[in-house]
Each structure stands twice: as C-alpha cells, then as structure tokens.
Amino acid sequence: MSVAPPAVAVPPSRLQQFYALTKPRVVQLIVFCALIGMVLAVPGLPTAAQLGHMALASAGVWLVAGAAAAFNCIVEQGIDAKMKRTAWRPTAKGELSNAQTLLFSAVLCAAGSALLYIWVNPLTMWLTFATFVGYAVVYTVILKPLTPQNIVIGGASGAMPPVLGWAAMTGDVGPEALILFLIIFLWTPPHFWALALYRVEDYRKSGLPMLPVTHGNEFTRLQVFLYTLILFAGCLMPFIYGMSSWIYLVAAVLLSAGFCGYGFALWRSYSDALARKTFRFSLIHLSVLFAALLVDHYVL
C-alpha cells in the first residue's frame, strides 16, 4: 500500500507577493467608498461617458491607495513581523526587499496620479496624493508610534475616499462629500479599537501605543461604545441635510442601533469572541450603510 507524500506548500509567485503588498481587501473598501461618492455626485443614472469617467477615477484611486499600502509595509516591516495578523506579508517575511517595495509603491503612485491628473481632474489627483501622504507618512510614520489617539487623528486619511469620488465627478468638494467623510471618520475608531481589543497582545509585542495597551481593556471598551453613539448621530446627517430619504434613514437607524448594541455589550461584558463580532459587524455596518445610500439615490 503506497502512502501519498505530504503536500508541499507552494510559495506565492512574485506577482502574488506584489499584489499582497497593496492590501487588496482594504483597497477594495476604499474604492467602494470612493465609487459611492462618485455615484451620489451624479443626479440620476450616469451616462456612458460618466461611467467611463468613474472607471478611470476608480482605477486611479486604486493605484494610489495600493501605493500607500505598499509604502506602509516598508515602514512597518519590523512591526509586522512581530504580529500574527501581519507576519505573512512579503516584506515581513523578507520575500521582497525594501528597494523592490519602494519602487513598486513609487510606480503605482506615479501611474495613479498621472491617470487622475490627465483623465479625471487635478483636484482629485491632489486630494488623492494628500491622502497618500496623510496615511503613509503622517499616520504611519508619525502618529501611529507616538500616540494612542493615532487612529482618531489618522482616521481623516481613511475617511477621504467619498470626497475623492465626489471631486472626481464634480471638480469640487461639496457639503454632501463632507458628510460622507464625517461618517467614515466617526466609524473608524470603534471599528479599529474592536480589532485592537482582541489583538492587544500583538500590539503590546509590537511596541505600538494602541489604546488597549496604554489605557487598558475597560477604558477602550467604553470608548468603543461612546463612539458608536456619536456615529449614530453622524449617520443621520444625510437624511437631515436632505441628500437621502426614508430608505436610507431606516437602514441607518437599524445598522447604527445594532452597532451601538454591540458596543454596549462589549462595554458591559468583554470577550475576545464578542470583540471579533463587533469588528465584523462594523464592516457590515459601513458597507450596507453606503449601499443603502446608493439604493436611496436611485429609488427616490
């Protein structure tokens, strides 16, 4: 009787390694939020020309966001190697050198910026490049290793995608875009701190001053709950301002109430499992909330 040899893990190809540097799941959410901004900026159904414009803008945002993610992998190479969540990254494992990663990041950033400047508009290019600097330099290099409020201040960069989308279609930044920015800005702390709560040992080993490390589990749980309450109010703004109707309002109330419920439960009785559920629900909250805005935009 022959025994099959044990399966040998196939190492990722060079292309897969470079693709992993762009943090695809994060970038997909960024482009989705930017696309929502584009669609909401166009009254009614977009024309074929507008759809092409959206595709070019989405590609440009994807390229620059991927460049920022790759640059982040260089800066946090040592930290990533200490954390289970990030130890698989090609830079952390030494599969790609810093020079290779830096060149890859520069090419993506240059290509995305050129695409946005030439085929979209200069304002979108400069806003997207400012977002790159805000995330890759201000947040990653300065704020993240220095203050437990890093995710609050640095969250401004992560909240920019709808603004980029709006600017891509209108050539300016309107109040509606700023409302979308506010929602993501308020959503970021409870989303990220829920993750940090059950990954606290990873962050402690990394030396990063994340809130659960510097202020403890109980204080962080309270902050998560309080931010979900503030976020609830922020999510009502599209309806209050008049950029959406009751379809969005119902979705916003239900989703935000659910997030507050998770935040309250987490504050009152902690478990890693509940923190994971809160983190996962936060992703559902933002995705469905913006999808509801989209449905509302076309139905009413």
Side-chain angles (χ1 to χ4, degrees), residues 38-51 54 169 294-295 297-300:
M38 295 178 209
V39 171
L40 294 179
V42 177
L45 290 171
T47 63
Q50 288 171 329
L51 286 173
M54 290 179 187
M169 302 307 296
L294 185 61
V295 170
H297 181 68
Y298 287 119
V299 171
L300 295 176

Side-chain angles (χ1 to χ4, degrees), residues 12-158:
S13 67
R14 188 65 78 192
L15 182 62
Q16 290 172 321
Q17 290 170 352
F18 279 114
Y19 182 64
L21 290 177
T22 65
K23 302 181 183 179
R25 287 188 294 180
V26 175
V27 171
Q28 285 167 11
L29 184 59
I30 289 171
V31 174
F32 171 73
C33 292
L35 186 59
I36 292 297
M38 295 178 209
V39 171
L40 294 179
V42 177
L45 290 171
T47 63
Q50 288 171 329
L51 286 173
H53 196 75
M54 290 179 187
L56 289 171
S58 296
V61 170
W62 187 94
L63 287 167
V64 178
F71 187 85
N72 172 269
C73 288
I74 299 174
V75 177
E76 297 194 336
Q77 180 179 1
I79 294 172
D80 287 346
K82 298 176 184 177
M83 300 175 63
K84 292 179 182 179
R85 185 173 67 92
T86 56
W88 60 270
R89 288 176 180 162
T91 43
K93 294 173 68 176
E95 294 172 340
L96 292 173
S97 68
N98 287 346
Q100 289 173 314
T101 305
L102 183 60
L103 178 60
F104 177 67
S105 176
V107 169
L108 287 187
C109 186
S113 297
L115 190 158
L116 292 173
Y117 188 91
I118 297 170
W119 285 290
V120 182
N121 59 59
L123 176 62
T124 305
M125 187 281 285
W126 286 116
L127 287 174
T128 306
F129 183 73
T131 303
F132 172 94
V133 174
Y135 173 73
V137 180
V138 177
Y139 169 67
T140 303
V141 178
I142 301 173
L143 294 174
K144 195 170 184 179
L146 292 182
T147 171
Q149 291 298 310
N150 46 29
I151 200 62
V152 177
I153 306 169
S157 295

Side-chain angles (χ1 to χ4, degrees), residues 238-292:
F239 178 78
I240 294 171
Y241 185 75
M243 62 183 290
S244 67
S245 65
W246 63 269
I247 292 179
Y248 168 79
L249 179 63
V250 170
V253 169
L254 292 176
L255 288 165
S256 299
F259 204 174
C260 289
Y262 272 105
F264 180 79
L266 194 64
W267 173 46
R268 301 303 297 168
S269 180
Y270 179 79
S271 71
D272 282 355
L274 183 56
R276 285 188 178 90
K277 289 180 181 177
T278 304
F279 173 75
R280 289 168 185 160
F281 184 82
S282 70
L283 294 170
I284 295 171
H285 175 277
L286 187 65
S287 299
V288 178
L289 187 80
F290 275 31

Side-chain angles (χ1 to χ4, degrees), residues 167-291:
M169 302 307 296
T170 65
D172 64 10
V173 176
E176 298 89 345
L178 296 179
I179 289 173
L180 299 178
F181 170 91
L182 177 65
I183 290 173
I184 301 179
F185 182 76
L186 296 175
W187 169 88
T188 301
H191 159 74
F192 198 87
W193 284 334
L195 169 69
L197 279 167
Y198 69 85
R199 294 286 190 181
V200 63
E201 291 307 317
D202 266 358
Y203 286 113
R204 185 171 285 115
K205 291 175 184 176
S206 73
L208 291 173
M210 304 308 295
L211 197 64
V213 176
T214 61
H215 289 68
N217 180 285
E218 186 175 353
F219 180 83
T220 305
R221 285 152 45 198
L222 175 60
Q223 297 304 304
V224 169
F225 176 52
L226 292 177
Y227 262 95
T228 59
L229 296 177
I230 300 171
L231 174 63
F232 197 135
C235 289
L236 299 179
M237 286 300 296
F239 178 78
I240 294 171
Y241 185 75
M243 62 183 290
S244 67
S245 65
W246 63 269
I247 292 179
Y248 168 79
L249 179 63
V250 170
V253 169
L254 292 176
L255 288 165
S256 299
F259 204 174
C260 289
Y262 272 105
F264 180 79
L266 194 64
W267 173 46
R268 301 303 297 168
S269 180
Y270 179 79
S271 71
D272 282 355
L274 183 56
R276 285 188 178 90
K277 289 180 181 177
T278 304
F279 173 75
R280 289 168 185 160
F281 184 82
S282 70
L283 294 170
I284 295 171
H285 175 277
L286 187 65
S287 299
V288 178
L289 187 80
F290 275 31

